Amino acid sequence: MSSLIIGHCHFCVEATGTKRTAIWRSPRAAVIPSFHLPMRSYEVKNRTFAEDIKALRLITAIKTPYLPDGRFDLEAYDALVNLQIENGVEGVIVGGTTGEGQLMSWDEHVMLIGHTVNCFGGSIKVIGNTGSNSTREAIHATEQGFAVGMHAALHINPYYGKTSIEGMISHFDSVLPMGPTIIYNVPSRTGQDIPSRVIRTLAKSPNLAGVKECVGNDRVKHYTSNGLVVWSGNDDECHDSRWDHGATGVISVTSNLVPGLMRQLMFGGKNPALNLKLMPLVEWLFHEPNPIAINTALAQLGVVRPIFRLPYVPVTKAKREEFVKIVEEIGRENFIGESDVQVLDDDDFILLTRY
């Protein structure tokens, strides 16, 4: 028997008496696993377990900056994430409320998750906000998020078109099997509380990493006393949540601006003096619905362009002047960026209607 290669096809030539018969055999490359094909929905790029997520103390709900044409400013975004890593932040929520996932297409959303994983996934945990009030959308986005490598998913309960308790459980059960999951309870935005019996039911899944809880410290204490991991979703309460009520840490907006100080607050033991020092900043950040003030503050610090996707608009000039004073009181060195903080004129801001 002899072998003959024509093009990329392999033939074995077998002699039978005086007759030669060509028998085709598949080339070796054809039997190698198809590693170049797109990932299937049940596969993940970075295998992470819920226990890895449960250990995180400080997670930043990262801001998404924009270019004048409305596209993501990835250069500014990368600089923001780098500053989080350098200051000891352990995880980022990508495309959350602060990151304006509600203003993104799903293509943009998943792209930003994948970009964050590819650039920073070895240094920080990437938690994609792939929740939706549509179970179909939540399933699809979560499949895609894990396929591009996110370490965990953040899921909210169905908002506006609210469902029953049983429907809520079914909604979460549809996404929990895909990977580590943080459930996000923020009734002020969804119009519906996630009651504790829902969380108790979901806790049977090994993929439930914990709860981002915004109802208050009584609820935090209720969960932690029953062995559940909780992150405070309220920056004004996170110090007491962490040190008095058993919370693991915080998912923070304020840490976009002062990640080093927020790390001290979560890792350095009880520090009521530091907590009190940060309160004027926290109160300023939430005097308008988030992410209006954080977007304005980052622009004033010169770390993002002063560009807003509508319906968000900057805070008033009087409030911008107030922010300058807060920065001076806390110390410019504690804030990210190197430029002097500025008030900015109203005309400096670009408001985008099409993006």
Side-chain angles (χ1 to χ4, degrees):
M1 182 186 300
S2 60
S3 181
L4 175 66
I5 301 177
I6 301 174
H8 294 292
C9 299
H10 292 238
F11 293 85
C12 289
V13 181
E14 187 175 292
T16 308
T18 58
K19 199 171 182 181
R20 295 166 70 84
T21 306
I23 303 172
W24 182 85
R25 290 187 181 176
S26 63
R28 180 177 296 273
V31 297
I32 294 176
S34 300
F35 58 87
H36 60 285
L37 294 177
M39 300 184 74
R40 298 173 179 86
S41 62
Y42 57 82
E43 296 176 325
V44 293
K45 185 175 179 180
N46 294 315
R47 173 58 68 184
T48 304
F49 297 97
E51 296 302 318
D52 301 318
I53 305 302
K54 290 178 180 180
L56 305 179
R57 301 265 189 239
L58 178 57
I59 301 169
T60 296
I62 196 75
K63 151 73 177 166
T64 307
Y66 305 114
L67 295 167
D69 62 2
R71 292 178 298 130
F72 296 157
D73 184 346
L74 292 178
E75 183 178 352
Y77 177 82
D78 291 352
L80 285 176
V81 178
N82 264 318
L83 287 167
Q84 297 297 309
I85 294 168
E86 289 172 2
N87 284 278
V89 173
E90 300 170 297
V92 287
I93 304 290
V94 178
T97 305
T98 306
E100 299 180 20
Q102 62 274 15
L103 303 185
M104 297 178 189
S105 70
W106 280 116
D107 286 344
E108 287 181 314
H109 208 136
V110 174
M111 179 281 287
L112 191 60
I113 293 170
H115 171 83
T116 311
V117 170
N118 288 331
C119 294
F120 307 104
S123 303
I124 198 166
K125 294 300 183 190
V126 178
I127 302 159
N129 172 33
T130 55
S132 173
N133 59 351
S134 161
T135 304
R136 179 183 66 175
E137 284 192 9
I139 290 170
H140 184 60
T142 304
E143 286 177 339
Q144 291 186 317
F146 279 118
V148 299
M150 71 181 184
H151 301 105
L154 180 73
H155 278 284
I156 201 164
N157 51 307
Y159 49 88
Y160 188 71
K162 297 181 286 187
T163 186
S164 63
I165 298 302
E166 290 72 20
M168 200 183 295
I169 292 170
S170 295
H171 175 82
F172 289 129
D173 277 343
S174 297
V175 292
L176 269 169
M178 298 181 197
T181 301
I182 297 173
I183 302 298
Y184 181 17
N185 187 33
V186 55
S188 62
R189 288 189 180 272
T190 64
Q192 185 178 32
D193 181 38
I194 303 176
S196 57
R197 73 182 182 95
V198 170
I199 300 300
R200 285 198 303 271
T201 301
L202 300 178
K204 297 172 185 176
S205 168
N207 281 335
L208 182 68
V211 182
K212 177 185 177 184
E213 184 56 74
C214 297
V215 165
N217 282 331
D218 288 344
R219 182 74 64 86
V220 170
K221 183 67 174 178
H222 171 73
Y223 286 145
T224 58
S225 62
N226 285 282
L228 288 168
V229 171
V230 181
W231 293 271
S232 174
N234 300 326
D235 283 350
D236 61 337
E237 296 180 341
C238 69
H239 173 269
D240 293 348
S241 297
R242 171 80 175 94
W243 301 110
D244 296 331
H245 301 283
T248 293
V250 63
I251 297 177
S252 176
V253 176
T254 308
S255 55
N256 277 280
L257 302 176
V258 287
L261 294 183
M262 290 302 295
R263 182 177 171 87
Q264 287 183 41
L265 209 62
M266 291 297 102
F267 284 82
K270 290 188 74 169
N271 192 338
L274 176 58
N275 189 49
L276 186 63
K277 181 179 181 179
L278 288 171
M279 277 306 105
L281 174 61
V282 173
E283 291 169 2
W284 184 89
L285 282 172
F286 294 96
H287 78 273
E288 294 280 13
N290 185 51
I292 292 170
I294 187 67
N295 290 354
T296 308
L298 288 166
Q300 290 185 250
L301 291 169
V303 293
V304 305
R305 290 176 169 87
I307 299 170
F308 282 67
R309 284 183 172 185
L310 285 170
Y312 300 122
V313 297
V315 303
T316 64
K317 189 169 184 178
K319 281 294 182 179
R320 298 199 297 271
E321 291 170 347
E322 186 179 319
F323 177 68
V324 171
K325 294 177 182 176
I326 290 171
V327 172
E328 291 170 351
E329 289 169 0
I330 294 176
R332 176 65 183 91
E333 69 279 4
N334 292 309
F335 287 77
I336 65 169
E338 298 178 357
S339 303
D340 291 338
V341 60
Q342 300 179 52
V343 173
L344 298 179
D345 293 325
D346 290 342
D347 291 342
D348 291 327
F349 291 92
I350 299 173
L351 308 181
L352 302 170
T353 58
R354 295 179 180 271
Y355 42 82

